Amino acid sequence: FFNSATALAGNPSASAPRAPMLQAGARLASSFSAAGAALDGALADLDQSADAMADQLNTLTTSLAKVNSALGRVSQGTSSQAALLDERDRLLESMSALTDVSASFDASGRATVKAGGGGPLLVQGDQAAVATYARGPNGSVSFAVYGIDGSHALSPGGGAMAGIAEGAARIADARDALNQIAVSFANGVNAVQAGGQDLDGHAGAAMFSATGASDFKLVLDDPRGIAAAAPGGGERNNGNLTALATLRKDGKFEGSLTTLTTDNASALAARRSVAEVQSTIRSNAAAARDSITGVNVDEEAVGLIRFQQAYQASSRVIQVARETLDAIFNIR
Protein backbone atom coordinates (compact mmCIF):
# COMPACT_ATOMS: atom_id res chain seq x y z
CA PHE A 1 0.00 0.00 0.00
CA PHE A 2 2.72 2.49 0.99
CA ASN A 3 4.71 1.56 -2.12
CA SER A 4 1.68 2.32 -4.29
CA ALA A 5 1.32 5.70 -2.58
CA THR A 6 5.02 6.42 -3.21
CA ALA A 7 4.56 5.62 -6.91
CA LEU A 8 1.61 8.00 -7.02
CA ALA A 9 3.58 10.74 -5.29
CA GLY A 10 6.33 10.52 -7.87
CA ASN A 11 4.03 10.59 -10.90
CA PRO A 12 3.19 13.96 -12.40
CA SER A 13 -0.19 12.66 -13.55
CA ALA A 14 -2.23 12.39 -10.36
CA SER A 15 -5.03 10.24 -11.70
CA ALA A 16 -3.22 7.37 -13.46
CA PRO A 17 -1.84 5.37 -10.49
CA ARG A 18 -4.81 5.92 -8.21
CA ALA A 19 -6.59 2.68 -9.09
CA PRO A 20 -3.50 0.53 -8.23
CA MET A 21 -3.34 2.30 -4.88
CA LEU A 22 -6.91 1.27 -4.10
CA GLN A 23 -6.16 -2.25 -5.32
CA ALA A 24 -3.25 -2.39 -2.89
CA GLY A 25 -5.57 -1.09 -0.17
CA ALA A 26 -8.08 -3.83 -0.96
CA ARG A 27 -5.39 -6.50 -0.70
CA LEU A 28 -4.22 -5.08 2.61
CA ALA A 29 -7.77 -5.01 3.97
CA SER A 30 -8.25 -8.62 2.90
CA SER A 31 -5.00 -9.65 4.60
CA PHE A 32 -5.92 -7.95 7.88
CA SER A 33 -9.42 -9.45 7.94
CA ALA A 34 -8.11 -12.91 7.03
CA ALA A 35 -5.52 -12.80 9.81
CA GLY A 36 -8.11 -11.61 12.32
CA ALA A 37 -10.53 -14.34 11.24
CA ALA A 38 -7.76 -16.94 11.54
CA LEU A 39 -7.02 -15.93 15.13
CA ASP A 40 -10.74 -15.90 15.96
CA GLY A 41 -10.99 -19.36 14.43
CA ALA A 42 -8.03 -20.58 16.48
CA LEU A 43 -9.81 -19.47 19.67
CA ALA A 44 -12.97 -21.26 18.53
CA ASP A 45 -10.94 -24.42 17.94
CA LEU A 46 -9.49 -24.11 21.42
CA ASP A 47 -13.01 -23.84 22.83
CA GLN A 48 -13.98 -27.10 21.17
CA SER A 49 -10.80 -28.81 22.38
CA ALA A 50 -11.25 -27.52 25.93
CA ASP A 51 -14.87 -28.68 26.07
CA ALA A 52 -13.79 -32.09 24.85
CA MET A 53 -11.01 -32.23 27.44
CA ALA A 54 -13.38 -31.36 30.28
CA ASP A 55 -15.70 -34.13 29.11
CA GLN A 56 -12.79 -36.55 28.83
CA LEU A 57 -11.60 -35.68 32.33
CA ASN A 58 -15.11 -36.32 33.64
CA THR A 59 -15.18 -39.71 31.94
CA LEU A 60 -11.81 -40.62 33.48
CA THR A 61 -12.71 -39.50 37.00
CA THR A 62 -16.00 -41.40 36.84
CA SER A 63 -14.17 -44.52 35.67
CA LEU A 64 -11.56 -44.19 38.41
CA ALA A 65 -14.27 -43.85 41.06
CA LYS A 66 -15.73 -47.14 39.81
CA VAL A 67 -12.29 -48.78 39.97
CA ASN A 68 -11.87 -47.51 43.52
CA SER A 69 -15.22 -49.04 44.45
CA ALA A 70 -14.19 -52.37 42.97
CA LEU A 71 -10.80 -52.32 44.71
CA GLY A 72 -12.59 -52.04 48.03
CA ARG A 73 -14.34 -55.34 47.38
CA VAL A 74 -11.58 -57.60 45.97
CA SER A 75 -9.12 -59.68 47.95
CA GLN A 76 -5.47 -58.65 48.27
CA GLY A 77 -3.01 -60.37 45.94
CA THR A 78 -5.60 -61.72 43.52
CA SER A 79 -5.50 -61.42 39.73
CA SER A 80 -8.64 -59.32 39.94
CA GLN A 81 -6.88 -56.79 42.16
CA ALA A 82 -3.86 -56.71 39.82
CA ALA A 83 -6.09 -55.99 36.84
CA LEU A 84 -7.85 -53.21 38.72
CA LEU A 85 -4.53 -51.66 39.78
CA ASP A 86 -3.38 -51.67 36.17
CA GLU A 87 -6.60 -49.97 35.13
CA ARG A 88 -6.19 -47.44 37.95
CA ASP A 89 -2.71 -46.54 36.73
CA ARG A 90 -3.90 -46.26 33.14
CA LEU A 91 -6.66 -43.87 34.17
CA LEU A 92 -4.26 -41.79 36.27
CA GLU A 93 -1.81 -41.48 33.38
CA SER A 94 -4.63 -40.41 31.05
CA MET A 95 -5.81 -37.84 33.59
CA SER A 96 -2.28 -36.46 33.95
CA ALA A 97 -2.14 -35.90 30.20
CA LEU A 98 -5.05 -33.48 30.65
CA THR A 99 -4.11 -31.65 33.85
CA ASP A 100 -1.57 -31.85 36.64
CA VAL A 101 -2.78 -34.16 39.39
CA SER A 102 -1.48 -35.58 42.62
CA ALA A 103 -2.52 -39.02 43.81
CA SER A 104 -2.37 -40.86 47.10
CA PHE A 105 -3.36 -44.48 47.75
CA ASP A 106 -4.84 -46.32 50.70
CA ALA A 107 -4.03 -49.87 51.79
CA SER A 108 -6.45 -51.30 49.23
CA GLY A 109 -4.89 -49.30 46.38
CA ARG A 110 -7.79 -46.90 46.06
CA ALA A 111 -6.71 -43.52 44.68
CA THR A 112 -7.54 -40.10 46.02
CA VAL A 113 -6.80 -37.56 43.32
CA LYS A 114 -6.43 -33.80 43.60
CA ALA A 115 -5.77 -31.26 40.90
CA GLY A 116 -2.20 -29.99 41.17
CA GLY A 117 -0.36 -30.25 44.42
CA GLY A 118 -3.28 -29.35 46.65
CA GLY A 119 -6.15 -28.27 44.46
CA PRO A 120 -9.76 -29.43 44.47
CA LEU A 121 -10.60 -33.09 44.81
CA LEU A 122 -11.24 -34.88 41.54
CA VAL A 123 -11.72 -38.39 42.89
CA GLN A 124 -12.23 -39.66 46.44
CA GLY A 125 -13.39 -43.19 47.03
CA ASP A 126 -16.33 -43.86 44.75
CA GLN A 127 -17.04 -40.12 44.25
CA ALA A 128 -16.00 -38.14 41.20
CA ALA A 129 -16.13 -34.37 40.63
CA VAL A 130 -17.42 -32.69 37.46
CA ALA A 131 -15.15 -30.35 35.47
CA THR A 132 -16.45 -27.51 33.28
CA TYR A 133 -14.89 -24.99 30.87
CA ALA A 134 -15.65 -21.38 29.92
CA ARG A 135 -13.89 -18.55 28.04
CA GLY A 136 -14.42 -14.84 28.69
CA PRO A 137 -14.82 -12.19 25.98
CA ASN A 138 -11.22 -11.06 26.52
CA GLY A 139 -9.96 -14.51 25.53
CA SER A 140 -9.15 -15.75 29.04
CA VAL A 141 -10.15 -19.32 29.81
CA SER A 142 -11.29 -20.89 33.04
CA PHE A 143 -11.93 -24.40 34.28
CA ALA A 144 -13.97 -25.24 37.36
CA VAL A 145 -14.69 -28.35 39.45
CA TYR A 146 -18.00 -29.12 41.13
CA GLY A 147 -18.90 -31.93 43.44
CA ILE A 148 -16.94 -33.66 46.16
CA ASP A 149 -15.87 -30.69 48.28
CA GLY A 150 -17.95 -27.90 46.75
CA SER A 151 -17.23 -25.63 43.80
CA HIS A 152 -13.66 -24.56 43.02
CA ALA A 153 -11.69 -22.98 40.23
CA LEU A 154 -9.39 -25.42 38.46
CA SER A 155 -6.08 -23.83 37.44
CA PRO A 156 -4.12 -26.42 35.46
CA GLY A 157 -0.37 -26.18 35.95
CA GLY A 158 0.39 -28.93 33.47
CA GLY A 159 -1.18 -31.20 30.90
CA ALA A 160 -3.12 -30.29 27.80
CA MET A 161 -5.53 -28.10 29.78
CA ALA A 162 -2.63 -25.88 30.88
CA GLY A 163 -1.58 -25.71 27.25
CA ILE A 164 -5.10 -24.65 26.32
CA ALA A 165 -5.05 -21.86 28.91
CA GLU A 166 -1.61 -20.59 27.86
CA GLY A 167 -2.46 -20.96 24.18
CA ALA A 168 -5.68 -18.99 24.54
CA ALA A 169 -3.81 -16.21 26.36
CA ARG A 170 -1.17 -16.12 23.60
CA ILE A 171 -3.79 -15.94 20.84
CA ALA A 172 -5.74 -13.26 22.71
CA ASP A 173 -2.57 -11.18 23.10
CA ALA A 174 -1.71 -11.59 19.42
CA ARG A 175 -5.25 -10.66 18.43
CA ASP A 176 -5.18 -7.56 20.63
CA ALA A 177 -1.85 -6.49 19.13
CA LEU A 178 -3.08 -7.11 15.60
CA ASN A 179 -6.29 -5.18 16.28
CA GLN A 180 -4.28 -2.25 17.59
CA ILE A 181 -2.10 -2.23 14.47
CA ALA A 182 -5.15 -2.45 12.20
CA VAL A 183 -7.06 0.36 13.91
CA SER A 184 -3.99 2.61 14.15
CA PHE A 185 -3.25 2.07 10.47
CA ALA A 186 -6.83 2.79 9.37
CA ASN A 187 -7.09 5.89 11.55
CA GLY A 188 -3.71 7.15 10.35
CA VAL A 189 -4.53 6.78 6.67
CA ASN A 190 -7.96 8.32 7.18
CA ALA A 191 -6.33 11.30 8.93
CA VAL A 192 -4.00 11.78 5.97
CA GLN A 193 -7.01 11.62 3.66
CA ALA A 194 -8.84 14.24 5.69
CA GLY A 195 -5.85 16.55 5.51
CA GLY A 196 -5.75 16.65 1.71
CA GLN A 197 -7.98 17.23 -1.32
CA ASP A 198 -9.24 14.78 -3.93
CA LEU A 199 -9.51 15.37 -7.68
CA ASP A 200 -12.78 17.24 -7.20
CA GLY A 201 -11.24 19.64 -4.67
CA HIS A 202 -13.03 18.12 -1.70
CA ALA A 203 -11.49 17.07 1.59
CA GLY A 204 -10.56 13.39 1.40
CA ALA A 205 -13.09 10.86 2.68
CA ALA A 206 -12.15 7.92 4.89
CA MET A 207 -10.35 5.18 2.99
CA PHE A 208 -10.59 2.38 5.57
CA SER A 209 -13.00 1.27 8.27
CA ALA A 210 -11.82 -0.87 11.18
CA THR A 211 -12.70 -1.55 14.79
CA GLY A 212 -10.29 -4.49 14.66
CA ALA A 213 -8.47 -6.71 12.20
CA SER A 214 -11.43 -8.98 11.49
CA ASP A 215 -13.64 -6.18 10.15
CA PHE A 216 -10.91 -4.16 8.40
CA LYS A 217 -12.47 -2.87 5.15
CA LEU A 218 -11.64 -0.61 2.24
CA VAL A 219 -14.56 1.84 2.09
CA LEU A 220 -13.25 4.19 -0.60
CA ASP A 221 -14.09 2.73 -4.02
CA ASP A 222 -13.53 5.72 -6.32
CA PRO A 223 -9.90 6.50 -7.28
CA ARG A 224 -10.86 10.16 -7.66
CA GLY A 225 -11.48 10.23 -3.92
CA ILE A 226 -7.80 9.73 -3.06
CA ALA A 227 -6.73 12.99 -1.43
CA ALA A 228 -3.30 13.20 -3.03
CA ALA A 229 -3.20 17.00 -3.27
CA ALA A 230 -2.27 19.36 -0.49
CA PRO A 231 -5.04 21.90 0.32
CA GLY A 232 -5.27 24.37 -2.55
CA GLY A 233 -2.69 22.47 -4.58
CA GLY A 234 -4.91 21.58 -7.51
CA GLU A 235 -5.71 18.31 -9.20
CA ARG A 236 -2.13 17.67 -10.43
CA ASN A 237 -0.61 18.17 -7.00
CA ASN A 238 0.56 15.17 -4.94
CA GLY A 239 1.82 17.08 -1.92
CA ASN A 240 -0.45 15.41 0.62
CA LEU A 241 1.04 12.00 -0.08
CA THR A 242 4.21 12.98 1.75
CA ALA A 243 2.08 12.65 4.89
CA LEU A 244 1.74 8.93 4.11
CA ALA A 245 5.52 8.59 4.13
CA THR A 246 5.56 10.27 7.53
CA LEU A 247 2.79 7.96 8.75
CA ARG A 248 4.75 4.94 7.57
CA LYS A 249 7.81 6.08 9.53
CA ASP A 250 6.08 7.25 12.69
CA GLY A 251 3.41 4.52 12.81
CA LYS A 252 5.99 1.71 12.66
CA PHE A 253 3.29 -0.67 11.41
CA GLU A 254 5.67 -2.99 9.58
CA GLY A 255 8.00 -3.10 12.56
CA SER A 256 5.11 -3.94 14.86
CA LEU A 257 4.08 -6.85 12.63
CA THR A 258 7.68 -8.06 12.53
CA THR A 259 7.88 -7.93 16.32
CA LEU A 260 4.60 -9.82 16.64
CA THR A 261 5.89 -12.47 14.26
CA THR A 262 9.32 -12.88 15.86
CA ASP A 263 7.89 -13.03 19.38
CA ASN A 264 5.61 -15.92 18.40
CA ALA A 265 8.39 -17.60 16.45
CA SER A 266 10.66 -17.42 19.51
CA ALA A 267 7.92 -18.86 21.72
CA LEU A 268 7.35 -21.66 19.25
CA ALA A 269 11.05 -22.54 19.09
CA ALA A 270 11.42 -22.46 22.88
CA ARG A 271 8.37 -24.64 23.46
CA ARG A 272 9.51 -27.12 20.82
CA SER A 273 12.84 -27.52 22.59
CA VAL A 274 11.15 -27.97 25.96
CA ALA A 275 8.73 -30.54 24.53
CA GLU A 276 11.57 -32.56 22.99
CA VAL A 277 13.39 -32.72 26.32
CA GLN A 278 10.23 -33.57 28.23
CA SER A 279 9.33 -36.26 25.70
CA THR A 280 12.71 -37.89 26.21
CA ILE A 281 12.43 -37.73 29.99
CA ARG A 282 8.95 -39.20 29.91
CA SER A 283 9.99 -42.03 27.57
CA ASN A 284 12.97 -42.87 29.78
CA ALA A 285 10.80 -42.86 32.90
CA ALA A 286 8.28 -45.19 31.29
CA ALA A 287 11.04 -47.54 30.10
CA ALA A 288 12.60 -47.63 33.56
CA ARG A 289 9.25 -48.36 35.15
CA ASP A 290 8.55 -51.20 32.75
CA SER A 291 12.03 -52.78 32.95
CA ILE A 292 12.58 -52.83 36.72
CA THR A 293 10.89 -55.41 38.90
CA GLY A 294 10.21 -55.13 42.59
CA VAL A 295 9.57 -51.38 42.58
CA ASN A 296 6.78 -49.49 44.30
CA VAL A 297 4.23 -49.32 41.49
CA ASP A 298 2.30 -46.50 43.17
CA GLU A 299 5.39 -44.30 43.41
CA GLU A 300 6.35 -45.02 39.80
CA ALA A 301 2.85 -44.12 38.63
CA VAL A 302 3.02 -40.76 40.43
CA GLY A 303 6.45 -40.02 38.91
CA LEU A 304 5.29 -40.78 35.39
CA ILE A 305 2.27 -38.50 35.87
CA ARG A 306 4.57 -35.48 36.34
CA PHE A 307 6.41 -36.04 33.07
CA GLN A 308 3.22 -36.72 31.13
CA GLN A 309 1.46 -33.54 32.20
CA ALA A 310 4.47 -31.30 31.45
CA TYR A 311 4.94 -32.76 27.98
CA GLN A 312 1.27 -32.38 27.04
CA ALA A 313 1.21 -28.71 28.07
CA SER A 314 4.16 -27.87 25.83
CA SER A 315 2.69 -29.79 22.92
CA ARG A 316 -0.53 -27.80 23.07
CA VAL A 317 1.27 -24.44 23.22
CA ILE A 318 3.40 -25.41 20.21
CA GLN A 319 0.25 -26.06 18.18
CA VAL A 320 -1.25 -22.71 19.17
CA ALA A 321 1.93 -20.74 18.46
CA ARG A 322 2.21 -22.34 15.02
CA GLU A 323 -1.38 -21.41 14.15
CA THR A 324 -0.79 -17.82 15.32
CA LEU A 325 2.33 -17.52 13.21
CA ASP A 326 0.52 -18.80 10.13
CA ALA A 327 -2.12 -16.09 10.54
CA ILE A 328 0.39 -13.27 10.99
CA PHE A 329 2.58 -14.36 8.08
CA ASN A 330 -0.40 -13.94 5.74
CA ILE A 331 -0.43 -10.14 6.26
CA ARG A 332 1.47 -8.51 3.39
Side-chain angles (χ1 to χ4, degrees), residues 62-326:
T62 299
S63 296
L64 183 57
K66 292 179 179 179
V67 169
N68 278 346
S69 179
L71 281 170
R73 298 193 300 269
V74 298
S75 301
Q76 296 283 336
T78 62
S79 59
S80 295
Q81 185 196 37
L84 287 170
L85 291 175
D86 287 343
E87 177 64 7
R88 179 204 67 183
D89 293 345
R90 184 192 70 79
L91 292 170
L92 284 172
E93 186 170 350
S94 296
M95 289 170 63
S96 70
L98 296 175
T99 185
D100 54 327
V101 296
S102 60
S104 59
F105 309 97
D106 65 12
S108 298
R110 290 173 294 194
T112 296
V113 183
K114 291 184 177 182
L121 280 167
L122 298 178
V123 179
Q124 185 177 51
D126 60 357
Q127 294 182 301
V130 176
T132 61
Y133 163 79
R135 177 168 62 85
N138 63 345
S140 63
V141 303
S142 62
F143 294 94
V145 172
Y146 303 88
I148 299 174
D149 57 348
S151 302
H152 301 278
L154 173 61
S155 302
M161 285 182 168
I164 285 284
E166 184 176 342
R170 185 172 297 279
I171 291 178
D173 289 344
R175 186 178 62 174
D176 290 345
L178 185 62
N179 286 341
Q180 183 176 355
I181 294 170
V183 172
S184 295
F185 180 87
N187 290 343
V189 173
N190 291 343
V192 170
Q193 276 282 106
Q197 290 183 342
D198 62 20
L199 280 177
D200 298 318
H202 301 140
M207 184 175 292
F208 297 108
S209 170
T211 59
S214 298
D215 65 352
F216 195 102
K217 297 177 182 178
L218 177 70
V219 294
L220 182 66
D221 57 5
D222 185 356
R224 294 182 62 85
I226 297 176
E235 66 176 23
R236 297 182 65 82
N237 179 271
N238 288 325
N240 190 50
L241 291 182
T242 59
L244 283 177
T246 301
L247 174 66
R248 183 179 194 177
K249 177 182 177 181
D250 295 344
K252 301 179 180 179
F253 305 109
E254 292 145 316
S256 296
L257 283 173
T258 298
T259 299
L260 188 57
T261 302
T262 54
D263 285 350
N264 278 277
S266 297
L268 176 58
R271 275 297 183 174
R272 183 180 287 116
S273 297
V274 171
E276 289 173 354
V277 172
Q278 290 171 339
S279 178
T280 300
I281 293 174
R282 179 187 178 278
S283 297
N284 292 341
R289 180 197 63 180
D290 295 339
S291 63
I292 299 176
T293 57
V295 299
N296 187 315
V297 177
D298 292 346
E299 291 181 0
E300 293 298 320
V302 171
L304 187 57
I305 284 170
R306 294 198 304 271
F307 300 122
Q308 173 81 347
Q309 59 203 22
Y311 170 70
Q312 290 292 337
S314 289
S315 297
R316 175 59 61 176
V317 174
I318 285 173
Q319 177 185 347
V320 169
R322 186 182 297 115
E323 291 172 352
T324 304
L325 274 176
D326 289 343

Side-chain angles (χ1 to χ4, degrees), residues 36-46 323:
L39 294 179
D40 290 341
L43 280 176
D45 289 341
L46 282 184
E323 291 172 352

Side-chain angles (χ1 to χ4, degrees), residues 28-45:
L28 179 66
S30 178
S31 295
F32 266 122
S33 61
L39 294 179
D40 290 341
L43 280 176
D45 289 341

